[in-house]
Amino acid sequence: MAGLVAAAAVLGLAVALLPLGSTGASGAEDGPSPAPCGPAWVAAWRTSPQAGQAVDLGGRTVRMLVRPQATGSELRIRVSNRFGTRPLRIDSASVAEAGPGAALVPGTARPVLFSGAPAVVVPPGEELAGDPLAFVAQRGTPLAISLYLPEEPDRVTVHPVALQTSYVSAPGDVADSADPGPFVRAVSSWFVLTGVDVLAPRAENAVVLVGDSITDGVGSDPDGNDRWSDALAGRLTGGLAMPVLNAGISANQLLGGGTGEAPAARYAADVASVPGAADVVLHIGTNDLAAGRDAGEIVSGLVDYADRVRADGRRVFLTTITPSTAGAHGTPFAVVQREAVNRWIRTEGPAHADGVFDFAAAVADPADPARLAPAFDAGDGLHLSAAGYRALAAAVDPTRLTGSPCLAVGDAAKVLVSAPR
């Protein structure tokens, strides 16, 4: 596959999707694939954004690194001005294979167009998709997506806790440059970019993880890709494989009032509009407890969210709230309310969801279930270490998820690269 990616990017060859056993130099198939298992767009990477202040981005190029969760022959990026009050200009954009640091793999950069033009203006409150681009993206292989913003955004759409190093250039448009030299500042946020979709050779379903800082991965290793979303992705293979999309926002609350929009308010962006999204795993509530919410309020919010997902024709899984001794998260009131919520999830949750995963039991200290086990504590009594996040992922039964049945068929598809006619 690596050779195919290089050929596609360096030589500019046409990319086609073929099932194994098909013939034809230009991607024509001997016969149509069954509709349910033919090529399909799937979300390969997503982040859930919030409003932020610009940090000297005007007149500079932002280069962001992301790891797609699916392989495909084409891709399209999503750019957002969801929280802006003024139009957002993007004068150029590119996609490439990421090299070390801010470098690109030489010869792989490809320009992204918007309705056939290299520049686009994103209206306030809106999100746009770039044109489909012939580019072989591989599951787990980092992409570098570069955006040149000629003007400073007023309220930038940002995911501030990326736990992934990205880069901002000195003044100038260097979106296509493979040279890391112009990139003078490292940042730990994703700006404007909210998604990457790929055209997969066979239809794939995706699972969206909705939550707060624990889903965001706080406590895991920056650039280590050891959030629980990453650990879960490593467990989903064959017909159980699904892109795992992280929709965590640090300090988020189920019932609103925390950082970022509440899960219900961002449902359309996180789930409903996401191609391939079939399942949702909801892990949230610890910040609601810290804010003084009681068990009844939180249970009501969980039921409302689960009902909405199921009414939308998708599957939803609830998780128990992980223990904490940190400040307001660990007060006697919070402990009692958390135990009540978790008791309801374990006993009554299955009546409102397609399954329940007991995250609290997976990471609690056996000697004191109100606190995290020492090996799973990142050090603040609330967030998890990489080992703790692996324990969360291990608590998910992959066979309960929808999976991607098309990936289990005998004549599994592959991505082929062929010269244009």
Side-chain angles (χ1 to χ4, degrees), residues 98-162:
L104 307 180
V105 174
T108 64
R110 298 289 307 281
V112 174
L113 302 180
F114 298 87
S115 298
V120 67
V121 176
V122 187
E126 294 193 16
E127 181 173 285
L128 300 177
D131 298 345
L133 169 66
F135 189 105
V136 180
Q138 296 186 92
R139 186 187 309 266
T141 299
L143 299 175
I145 299 176
S146 304
L147 306 175
Y148 173 60
L149 308 179
E151 301 170 348
E152 191 76 11
D154 63 331
R155 296 180 71 213
V156 68
T157 299
V158 60
H159 188 87
V161 186

Side-chain angles (χ1 to χ4, degrees), residues 214 283 285-286 289 320-326 329-331 334-335 338-339 342 346 358-366 368-374 376-378 380-384 392:
I214 293 173
H283 178 63
T286 190
L289 293 171
T320 51
I321 303 172
T322 50
S324 175
T325 56
H329 299 83
T331 63
V335 170
R338 180 169 58 242
E339 290 175 350
N342 287 350
R346 293 178 181 120
D358 198 344
F359 281 8
V363 296
D365 185 345
D368 182 0
R371 67 175 62 242
L372 294 170
F376 297 152
D377 189 341
D380 62 4
L382 172 63
H383 298 104
L384 279 68
L392 293 190

